[in-house]
DNA sequence: GCAAGGTC
């Protein structure tokens, strides 16, 4: 008789275990005992390639293990951050997964085989090896197999279980490498920048609530921040340019109308635009040169994957990604939607979609549409987007929720459910049908075009109210060679606008493009920007960096380490570990290479930490008592004399301008290795003698000249010693005491020798306030004087997209004449270059909100040429401060209310709001059309007869390029 | 007090 095999099956989550068990057992699986409440064991008999089996099917909950440093490296002061590149790492089951581990252990003991049903991706392979590790410890005789499945349907699952393979060790090793790289660089740089900056600056000044914030670094979170900061720099670097275009409009006698779009779009040369415009004005009759009418289809949305759902939810429901995922998780747990973390956007052909549609036949909101799909009248097979993670179907509704049954749901949850249902029904519906007409025209020698669209069958758009198929449905009828007189024919002026701030949708797309994070973690990385105080969202939900976020990114840029925040960072890591997954390179080789690479960056950052202090000081004021003298750059000058045993950087013999020399690590303040010399020291120099006892650290001995009267009998006044290990030196320190520079409370002394090691909390701290306040003040002064470079181009060190730091101070400064005169030359509204003063005679009023002097500007607009106004220069708001007032309307008093008393929005001046982007500015006197005659829009004078009317001043008799009134 | 990746 054939012996029954007991097989342990493990899935990545309970829902998979449940579904696979149900499919393989024909819904006859029973529940067995499990130590883990959320990971039951399903039991059923099964025939595996002719062998009768007792299947035990259980699950884990994602990763079973975590990678971390051992306890003795976990405390931040237990080691130098540099040691985190060489410290051991351990993989272990965390406390909250112990029950799952126990369950696996118990089940493994009963079984002969182990079949792994983890998700079919790299992380799944890695989790598989975590499960193997636990199970083999419990039962070393287990036969281990891997089931590879591409859909959760019976046929596919049976194919998979009858064709078991081995787990992919290379894929798992690639994840091991990624985990270790992430851990080492994340922990080391987080500790580095937090310990360096945390207690040195007044974070509260710029809205950071935490007095001592943790300044985390991560290979996903920093490139995400980099995207936000980079966009901010692009916006700031933008120089607005004027452009001109011909605008023509036609209103038919029957009331239909259309805009005729110039084929040249826009010209940046005013003279040429004017000449072309004038040729049109001289022969304004328009001729239809082409009419093209055809049917057009608009296809329904693709089935939803995680990131596409996030993007849609943000756009249509205004739900941030992280919030959306929480609600989707709830809906999934309650059985209303399918698994919400998936890359798949194509339904398996075997999926019974009609059955899902039938769930909704009785719904009062979309039931009628569902019935049309079910009857076949509206049905169309959903399109596929070409992505399949082979573990989950696209996100879709699995159960109907009647409108009165979900009253207890949060409104956002109801909206999300409705969106998923409508999106699913839309994806199963026929495409919308429209009729598009494209017409081309000629006015003089210039070409124009317009498009009209009539939607004839809305189909999927009926059930998807968020759909827009914009187009002019009021197009006048046109025939080939038809002629007509345009109702309006104008030369309009516009200004190029900077790119907009990033929306969450933009950010997700950019992260997706650069491979930053996964579909399951993208929202977390974005949320982290907000939680850490690195970025904010404005009223329009657009992201912009906080002062802190920008300061950090600018710091790494200044240190020459932009690769640590640029969006390519993650892709570079991924590229390397993909080599491991593909078996082309060994894990250890790739790992060591990456760790050494980032260690090099870390050392560079460490050595340039003074640059980081300086750069952050451009944005924040120093905190009084914030650990002066601690930055690496504040060590007195010195020469290297060996390698620091603690962190691997250089030990320096430092010679302060006053006081006794001492030995310190160049990695100060993070590395606190320091040796003070005996009080009797008169002079100290590095000798050319190496210390043999410290040979592997290349330490050289120090030659000391001592005051004879201050040393005990028996010692020479001139000695050459190793200050790290020489017993004579330690004895001298004990006998004489050690000399420490002013401000050092504690004497570290030589290691293991006479000097006492200070308590961790007090080590390395100088007297409160020394240097900090002074440095803060002088930096601010320098910042103002030095940063003359103007906004845009000149303000970015000659390279586009680089930081334009200290912009706030630059705007406040009074030395921007170069920028201002250039602005006038371009015909822009420009600051006049005074400001900063107070009172009627002294310049500008203070902005009542920001308590800083307004800029004094001169308007170049056609409506108010040369008129002076004030505007607030505050730049770090979500949108620039809107305080604005004409000078001649100011009574010399401070501006009063939120809009500045009689002041107004500056929307009409200079920097226009987003809503006005690229909107053409109509000149004061353009040309119009009334009663079939071209007229001057401002004066009403007829234009027939040639001769020209200047669009600049509105007077007839000359063209604009020869205007005497300009 | 650090990462990112699973999952809940």
């Amino acid at each position: 008789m054939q012996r029954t095999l007991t097989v342990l099956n493990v899935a990545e989550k309970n829902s998979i275990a449940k579904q696979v068990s149900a499919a393989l057992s024909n819904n006859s699986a029973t529940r067995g005992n499990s130590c883990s409440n959320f990971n039951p064991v399903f039991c059923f008999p099964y025939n595996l390639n002719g062998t009768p089996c007792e299947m035990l099917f259980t699950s884990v909950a994602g990763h079973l293990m975590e990678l971390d440093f051992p306890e003795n490296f976990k405390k931040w002061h237990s080691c130098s951050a540099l040691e985190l590149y060489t410290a051991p790492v351990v993989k272990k089951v965390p406390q909250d997964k112990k029950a799952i581990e126990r369950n696996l252990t118990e089940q493994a003991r009963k079984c002969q085989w182990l079949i792994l049903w983890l998700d079919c991706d790299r992380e799944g392979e890695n989790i598989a090896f975590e499960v193997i590790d636990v199970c083999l410890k419990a039962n070393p005789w287990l036969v281990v197999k891997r089931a590879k499945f591409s859909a959760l349907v019976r046929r596919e699952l049976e194919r998979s279980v009858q064709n078991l393979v081995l787990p992919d060790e290379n894929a798992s090793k690639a994840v091991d490498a990624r985990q270790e790289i992430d851990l080492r660089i994340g922990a080391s740089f987080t500790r580095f920048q937090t310990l360096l900056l945390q207690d040195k600056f007044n974070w509260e000044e710029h809205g950071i609530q935490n007095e001592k914030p943790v300044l985390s670094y991560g290979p996903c979170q920093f490139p995400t921040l980099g995207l936000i900061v980079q966009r901010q720099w692009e916006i700031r670097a933008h120089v607005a340019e004027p452009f001109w275009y011909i605008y023509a409009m036609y209103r038919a006698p029957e009331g239909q109308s259309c805009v005729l779009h110039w084929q040249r779009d826009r010209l940046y040369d005013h003279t040429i635009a004017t000449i072309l415009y004038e040729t049109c004005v001289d022969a304004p009759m328009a001729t239809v040169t082409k009419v093209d009418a055809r049917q057009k289809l608009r296809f329904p949305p693709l089935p939803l994957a995680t990131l596409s759902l996030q993007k849609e939810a943000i756009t249509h429901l205004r739900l941030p990604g992280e919030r959306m995922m929480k609600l989707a998780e709830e809906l999934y747990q309650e059985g209303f939607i399918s698994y919400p973390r998936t890359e798949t956007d194509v339904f398996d052909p075997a999926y019974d979609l009609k059955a899902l549609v039938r769930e909704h036949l009785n719904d009062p909101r979309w039931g009628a549409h569902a019935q049309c799909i079910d009857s076949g009248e509206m049905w169309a097979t959903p399109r596929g987007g070409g992505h399949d993670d082979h573990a989950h179907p696209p996100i879709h509704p699995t159960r109907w929720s009647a409108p009165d049954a979900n009253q207890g749901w949060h409104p956002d949850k109801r909206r999300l459910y409705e969106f998923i249902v409508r999106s699913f029904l839309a994806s199963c519906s026929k495409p919308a049908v429209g009729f598009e007409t494209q017409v081309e025209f000629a006015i003089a020698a210039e070409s124009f075009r317009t498009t009209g669209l009539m939607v004839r069958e809305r189909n999927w758009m009926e059930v998807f109210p968020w759909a827009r198929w914009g187009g002019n449905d009021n197009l006048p009828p046109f025939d080939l060679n038809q002629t007509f007189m345009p109702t309006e024919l104008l030369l309009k002026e516009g200004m190029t606008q900077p790119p907009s701030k990033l929306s969450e949708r933009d950010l997700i797309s950019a992260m997706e493009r650069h491979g930053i994070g996964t579909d399951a973690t993208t929202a977390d990385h974005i949320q982290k920007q907000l939680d850490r105080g690195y970025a904010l969202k404005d009223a329009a939900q657009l992201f912009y960096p906080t002062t802190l976020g920008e300061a950090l990114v600018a710091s790494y840029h200044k240190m020459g380490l932009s690769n640590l925040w640029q969006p390519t960072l993650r892709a570079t890591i991924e590229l390397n570990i993909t080599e491991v997954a593909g078996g082309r390179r060994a894990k250890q080789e790739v790992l060591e290479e990456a760790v050494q690479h980032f260690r090099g960056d870390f050392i560079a950052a460490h050595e340039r930490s003074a640059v980081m202090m300086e750069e952050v000081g451009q944005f924040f004021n120093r905190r009084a008592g914030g650990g002066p003298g601690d930055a690496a750059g504040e060590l007195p000058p010195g020469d290297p004399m060996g390698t620091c045993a603690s962190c691997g950087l250089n030990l320096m013999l430092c010679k302060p301008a006053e006081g006794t020399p001492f030995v310190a690590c160049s990695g100060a303040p993070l590395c606190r290795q320091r040796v003070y010399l005996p009080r009797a020291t008169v002079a100290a120099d590095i000798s050319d003698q190496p210390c043999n006892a410290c040979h592997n650290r290349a330490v050289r001995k120090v030659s000391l000249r001592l005051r004879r009267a201050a040393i005990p009998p028996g010692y020479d006044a001139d000695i050459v010693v190793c200050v790290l290990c020489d017993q004579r030196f330690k004895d001298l320190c004990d006998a004489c005491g050690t000399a420490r520079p002013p401000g050092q409370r504690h004497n570290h002394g030589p290691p293991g020798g006479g000097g006492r090691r200070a308590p961790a909390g007090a080590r390395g701290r100088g007297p409160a306030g020394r240097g900090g306040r002074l440095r803060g003040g002088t930096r601010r002064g320098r910042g103002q004087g030095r940063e003359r470079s103007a906004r845009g181009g000149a303000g970015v060190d000659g390279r586009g997209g680089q930081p334009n730091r200290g912009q706030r101070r630059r705007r406040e400064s009074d030395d921007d004449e170069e920028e201002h005169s250039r602005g006038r030359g371009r015909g822009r509204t420009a600051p006049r270059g005074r400001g900063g003063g107070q009172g009627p005679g002294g310049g500008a009023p203070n902005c009542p909100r920001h308590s800083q002097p307004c800029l004094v500007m001169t308007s170049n607009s056609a409506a108010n040429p040369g008129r002076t106004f004030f505007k607030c220069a505050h730049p770090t708001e979500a949108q620039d401060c809107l305080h604005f007032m004409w000078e001649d309307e100011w009574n010399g008093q401070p501006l009063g209310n939120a809009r500045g008393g009689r002041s107004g929005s500056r929307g009409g001046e200079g920097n226009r709001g987003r809503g006005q982007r690229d909107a053409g500015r109509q000149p004061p006197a353009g040309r119009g059309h009334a009663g079939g005659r071209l007229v001057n829009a401002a004066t009403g004078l007829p234009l027939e007869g040639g001769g020209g009317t200047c669009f600049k001043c509105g007077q007839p008799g000359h063209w604009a390029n020869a205007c005497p009134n300009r």
Side-chain angles (χ1 to χ4, degrees), chain A residues 633-692:
Chain A
E634 294 179 36
L635 280 178
D639 294 309
M641 51 158 286
T643 305
C644 173
S646 176
C647 71
L649 297 179
N650 281 331
L651 280 178
M652 313 288 287
L653 177 61
C654 300
K655 295 184 177 176
E658 291 176 17
T660 311
F662 61 94
V663 174
C665 177
S666 64
L670 299 181
C671 180
R672 295 193 168 91
Q673 286 301 313
R674 227 165 245 217
V675 180
Y676 296 121
L677 303 183
R679 283 209 186 97
T681 304
V682 177
D685 289 295
I686 301 168
S687 77
D688 53 9
Q689 297 178 33
C691 172
N692 292 329

Side-chain angles (χ1 to χ4, degrees), chain A residues 111 131 164 199 299 677:
Chain A
C111 298
V131 171
L164 296 169
D199 59 357
F299 290 95
L677 303 183

Side-chain angles (χ1 to χ4, degrees), chain A residues 305-364:
Chain A
T306 303
L307 290 184
S308 58
L309 175 57
Q310 280 182 26
K311 287 192 258 187
E312 295 301 310
I314 290 157
T315 306
H316 300 307
L317 309 179
R318 312 275 285 179
L319 279 179
E322 207 239 353
R323 164 98 177 129
M324 194 284 295
M325 287 304 288
K326 278 205 169 69
L327 296 171
E329 180 68 28
E330 281 180 30
L331 287 167
Y332 163 66
Q333 296 290 345
E334 293 160 13
F336 288 103
I337 65 168
S338 61
Y339 188 66
R341 287 184 285 270
T342 176
E343 291 172 27
T344 308
D345 55 8
V346 55
F347 280 108
D348 188 286
Y351 225 68
D352 189 356
L353 295 171
K354 284 269 184 78
L356 294 170
V357 172
R358 280 195 287 276
E359 282 272 321
H360 299 270
L361 295 181
N362 297 322
D363 190 280

Side-chain angles (χ1 to χ4, degrees), chain A residues 476-602:
Chain A
F478 288 110
D479 295 319
L480 194 63
N481 300 323
Q482 175 188 339
T483 59
F484 61 93
M485 183 66 75
T487 311
E488 285 183 53
L489 185 60
L490 303 168
L491 184 67
K492 286 197 175 186
E493 181 184 353
M495 296 290 276
T496 56
Q497 294 292 310
S500 76
K501 284 180 263 185
L502 290 172
S503 67
E504 189 160 342
R505 192 188 177 105
D506 299 332
L507 201 48
I508 292 171
S509 297
M511 291 170 72
E512 208 178 351
R513 205 166 47 245
H514 291 289
I516 301 169
T518 67
D519 52 321
T521 59
T522 301
D524 294 341
H525 296 313
I526 294 174
Q527 184 61 35
K528 190 156 276 182
Q529 304 305 315
L530 306 173
D531 295 344
R532 290 289 186 207
Y534 293 167
L536 288 169
K537 279 198 273 191
D538 68 11
Q541 303 293 302
L542 301 175
F543 283 83
Y544 64 99
T546 60
T547 312
L548 172 60
E550 186 178 350
L552 288 172
V553 171
S555 297
Y556 284 102
H557 174 76
K558 271 282 165 183
M559 290 192 284
L561 295 168
S562 287
N563 60 307
L564 291 171
W565 58 260
Q566 278 170 345
T568 47
L569 173 69
R570 192 62 183 169
T572 310
I573 296 173
E574 287 290 330
L575 198 68
N576 283 310
I577 65 166
T578 301
E579 294 285 295
V580 178
R584 292 180 289 279
R585 291 183 69 191
K587 171 193 149 187
Q588 207 51 34
E589 180 191 335
V590 168
L591 188 57
E592 273 171 21
E593 191 178 285
V595 168
Q596 284 311 314
H597 170 83
F598 286 111
R599 185 173 180 272
D601 282 350
F602 183 84

Side-chain angles (χ1 to χ4, degrees), chain A residues 175-233:
Chain A
V175 173
D176 284 338
R178 195 265 306 150
Q179 288 176 339
E180 194 171 326
I181 295 166
D182 288 348
L183 176 65
R184 292 191 191 278
I185 59 180
S188 60
F189 275 97
T190 299
R191 292 185 192 182
F192 160 67
Q193 59 190 27
T194 303
L195 292 176
L196 178 67
L197 302 170
Q198 186 182 54
D199 59 357
K200 309 291 194 315
F201 294 95
N202 286 324
W203 307 111
E204 302 86 347
E205 280 177 359
H206 288 286
I208 305 297
Q209 299 301 320
N210 192 342
E211 197 177 286
K212 293 180 76 176
V214 171
L215 307 176
S216 66
Y217 175 91
C220 282
Q221 53 178 280
F222 252 57
T224 305
L225 174 60
L227 288 167
I228 299 171
V229 173
Q230 207 162 23
R231 175 55 63 94
Q232 184 79 358
W233 291 345

